[in-house]
Amino acid sequence: MLEKLRRRAREKMVVFHYGGDTIAELLGTTDCTARKLGLEQVYSKAERTRRKTEREATATRLLASGSLTIGKDVFFMSL
């Protein structure tokens, strides 16, 4: 894949618009490395799904405990 990109770049000026998962793959960044480094853009689709699930579980737990309330287009958190 990387060689194909290099060939296209040599043929003409190419502007790349890749997602974080593609960049992670090209750089060989593992999900474990992304977590350790706190990367917020460069990680796989599997890691994206895991993070989304974790955020939703946290929000559900906070809603159930009453620590998080929902207003119009706004979340309020009790400290």
Side-chain angles (χ1 to χ4, degrees):
M1 181 177 182
L2 193 55
E3 184 54 39
K4 182 180 175 182
L5 296 173
R6 287 182 181 144
R7 193 173 342 107
R8 285 183 57 201
R10 281 192 301 264
E11 292 171 3
K12 59 182 176 180
M13 186 58 149
V14 179
V15 177
F16 298 105
H17 299 282
Y18 291 111
D21 58 323
T22 303
I23 299 296
E25 181 183 340
L26 290 171
L27 295 174
T29 304
T30 64
D31 291 339
C32 182
T33 302
R35 279 192 296 275
K36 284 180 183 176
L37 295 175
L39 300 180
E40 295 186 14
Q41 295 292 320
V42 180
Y43 49 80
S44 71
K45 289 181 181 179
E47 178 66 8
R48 182 179 316 277
T49 301
R50 188 197 68 77
R51 290 180 184 197
K52 181 178 179 184
T53 302
E54 185 177 285
R55 279 192 312 272
E56 289 172 349
T58 299
T60 300
R61 190 181 73 250
L62 291 172
L63 280 168
S65 71
S67 297
L68 182 68
T69 56
I70 302 174
K72 185 176 184 206
D73 300 326
V74 180
F75 291 98
F76 299 99
M77 198 165 175
S78 302
L79 299 177

